[in-house]
Amino acid sequence: MEGEAAAAVLQTLVQNLIDLCKKEISQIRDLHKNAAKLAGNLDMIKNFLNDAETRTITSGAIKNWLKKLEDMAFDADNVLDEINYNILSKQIKPTEPEDEKVPSCFSRLSCFSCCNNLSRSRNMALTIKEINENLESINKEAANLGLVEKLANEPTLVIASSETDSFSDDPVFIGRDGVKLEIVEMLTNSITNDERKVSIISIVGMGGLGKTTLTRKVFNHLKDETRFGSHIWVHVSPHFDAMTILKKILKELTDQVEGESKQDILSKLQQALKDKTYLLVLDDVWNEDLSIWEDFMKSLLGVSCVKGNAIVVTTRSMQVTSIVKPIHTHELEGLSVEECWSIIEVKTFGEGNAPSEFETIGKRIARKCQGLPLAANVVGGILSNQSDEEKWRSIEEKWLSADEGGDNITKILRLSFDNLSLPSLKKCFAYCAMFPKGSKIIKQELIEMWMAEGFLQADERDDMESVGEKFINVLLHNSLLQVILWRDDDGNVEECGMHDLVHDLACSVSSSSNNTGGSSRVRYMIVGDNYCGDESSGDKSKEMAKYLRTLLISFSGSSSGINFSDFESLHVLRLESGYQVKELPSSIQKLIHLRDFDISKTSIEVLPDWIGEFFHLQTLRVDSSDFRIRRKLPSTIKYLINLRHLYIDYNVEYLPMGIGRLTSLQTLKYFPVGDENGCKIEELGSLNNLKGELWIWNLERVHDKEEAWKVNLFKKSKILTLCLEWDRYGRREGERNDEDVLEGLQPHSDLRELKISNYKGKRFPLWTEKMSVRDAPQGSWVLLNNLMSLSLICCNECEEIPMLVHLPNLKSLVLGGWSNLKSINSSFYGMVNKDTRIVFPALKRLELKYMPKLAEWAEIEISDGSEVKLFPRLQCLEIYVCPQLMSVPSHVSSCLEYLSIDGIGVECLPADWLLSNSETLSYLEISSCPNLREISDRWGEEESEGRSFTITSLPIFPRLKFLYIRGVPKLSLETVDAMRRLEVNGYKRIDHDGEGEYQISFIETVACVFHLKKFDLSKIEVA
């Protein structure tokens, strides 16, 4: 571990120990004096660390001191945590008789000895005394080494502004456009002119030159042009394993991997690639063994006989390039100083907006980037927060060292680490070294792991999770993390990753914690089947296990060879076992420090009662994507008073009694209402910290409005998505109180998404009908102005849609399964007058489904003749199984991208639905409309007026990708040649097959609609 970096990350651990002393331990009778002394010793160490952090440490003695301090701090943390565990045990189960025996945890006090024959309080006192003696020795050693106590005022964290655009999915793409087009042309020519099955191109260069970014641009360019039948991206990483890569290829093609043998995988690959060309990217290849590469290529060539395939290999090694035998090798060069400066300029001031006084300094800084796009992006991220010219000069001088070559790159990356303002933020970054290069890191899970390790400290304004969100944003802003997947339009991130060079930096600052520096005291580890937990591993494996704090373990066989009690310091345990492990190993019971426990990727169905003894647990994941797995939670879960995130879904049929005691819960996505006391809906009433999504089902078990009101939904302002569901079948005839219950489930006014399913009331309560809520039980009405999505499903008894037009931010509206709805009348649009200019201004998606009695969708009524825009942003319209629907509005949108009409009764479809959207439609479906005769603009006019169109005389659709027209026997085509008007050149002849179907013969090359992927005309008449 680099010395000054170690000092920075150790500060977090020491500060946590200080807080523990002051808050918990000092409250124990007879221990407050020892606790105060312990806090003082830790404060002294923290000041020494402040001094060490500001130095460039080359002294081996100081590095050894830091290593010794790290070990001591972790051991002390374990001891104090065990003491706190016993305090919690007494608080949670105060009625249980006093156990005079010393708890077993005190016989395992890390490196500190304890006397088992003494009383518990005596043991605590002696333990803390021994900690103090060790810390005093550490402090004396620090003074002898020349370290001085240095006070530090911790700066305020500067959070990346959500309005800036200093980071994106890929770093700013400058200086590579010509290279991209060159490689695209080379690949295009190779598949048309090369007779080989596979043409290989390699891109080689040092880390940070942008090989992956360039290849991604090439890949997406070719994907957009659909040059290949399949497009496959595989990150290889240092370990080149042919079976692993083949499985990844199969998963890309089929989204599933079944079978264990090579024969199984190759057989399924052969089926997936049948008659299709492919573009395969093998990113970050390190393998220099010719036999391994040839074995892989033999397998790949054997599963496809189609010519015209291509492989792009990216690598840092010229030796790898010589092994793969490419038709062309592109040695990626560095960017020019001007191009590096352009990247820095864009990230700091915007393109062309740099003040002249900064440009001169900035170009000198750009020269130190040595042509690396990654370095320029990192530097730009650092400078984006600096408007002081002297600060720029200071940063410039830090880089002007005597060292040259690759060391300068590390210093640039290291500068971004040094620029992080909080020791805890540095520790969070260093922790990410645990993940293998190329990993996709799920943001929420990373935050929960940081929290479990004690890296996130709440303050008066933010809880731990909010601090974690801010840390993520800072790391993204400084290009120390990269965005892999956005979650929504607001810019929230779902997954992130780390560039290879940045990963190297993380490893360098956490080498002793992540098994990268040869230390036996590894703290964080991800392992697979190669973990040796059996006798062959001997004492070495057991010694390593005792210091681990985070373990992410995947095993395909039995876990019986793993003694989890050896991992006595674990804070984070995540298991992945597939279908092999059905029962939770009992040795896990000993892990009293556990704060994050994940079995979501296992087949374990029954959680044992001793789960309730994990008093420190903050996160428990038992959800599963496999519907076959049914989880059963123990009754003791009510004792997990520190639990903040409980991940369950429909795989948990019921919750045990007493969930309402878990008042720290923030995540409880699903709540099935029970019949028994302790399982009823009122359990939600005390969970005031819930946030995100809440899905309440089995609402038929709620008796009345008063019981529903006890949930206090109107007070739970952090719940943004609310789903309310009754059982569709499981209630007796006449037992319906849905209207009262829904009235009592009024949410708060900041709700973003609402879904109501299987509601049997004849009318909606007032808050739903008006889409407004009271700001207090007897308060004033407040509109749900922030509601963005509304789904009302299977409201079978309702005959009128609630008032929705006044919701300014409503983007999605789904109405489905309304058995009694007969008309969507003019009231749907609200009061339209001279003050109304836009109706449903934000709506992008509208779905009307399964409405057997719906006969009319009325026009908007405009009394004064003023111009009103209806659905100006509507992009998706779906009408499905409304067989009685005979009238629809003449205009719905001018920017539709997706239009699907299936199973409606209209005879005439408004031409404007297609005319107004001809430039934007990419998906068009008209199916199962037996009465549809024509597409006309004579809507609402006399028969003699207006124009009539056939489907073939409509305008061109330049963006059309999918076209389905089927089950419309009365819709005629005037002439076959008019098919060109659909801009599908090449479909020239329609042949009758004698059985009521029409086949389209492909004769010419499609010349105009390059994007059209599916074209289906069936059961239509040729006039």
Side-chain angles (χ1 to χ4, degrees), residues 48 51-52 55 59 62 139-149:
F48 282 134
D51 181 36
R55 301 187 181 199
S59 167
I62 294 181
N139 286 333
K140 289 178 182 179
E141 188 176 347
N144 293 335
L145 290 170
L147 292 173
V148 297
E149 293 189 60

Side-chain angles (χ1 to χ4, degrees), residues 794-798 817-822 850-854:
C794 293
C795 302
N796 292 334
E797 303 299 323
C798 293
W818 287 51
S819 301
N820 283 338
L821 184 67
K822 299 177 181 178
Y850 300 105
M851 300 183 182
K853 296 182 180 179
L854 181 64

Side-chain angles (χ1 to χ4, degrees), residues 8-72:
V9 296
L10 273 174
Q11 287 192 55
T12 302
L13 181 57
V14 172
Q15 184 60 53
N16 289 347
L17 292 174
I18 293 172
D19 294 340
L20 189 61
C21 290
K22 292 179 178 179
K23 293 177 182 178
E24 277 84 8
I25 309 302
S26 62
Q27 299 177 14
I28 304 175
R29 187 177 60 186
D30 301 328
L31 292 184
H32 61 278
K33 290 183 179 181
N34 284 326
K37 184 177 181 181
L38 179 57
N41 283 326
L42 290 168
D43 269 323
M44 188 180 298
I45 283 182
K46 183 181 176 184
N47 295 335
F48 282 134
L49 288 172
N50 288 332
D51 181 36
E53 184 186 3
T54 61
R55 301 187 181 199
T56 300
I57 297 175
T58 58
S59 167
I62 294 181
K63 290 183 178 180
N64 288 335
W65 176 82
L66 287 169
K67 181 66 179 67
K68 190 183 298 183
L69 174 59
E70 180 189 40
D71 292 341
M72 178 66 65

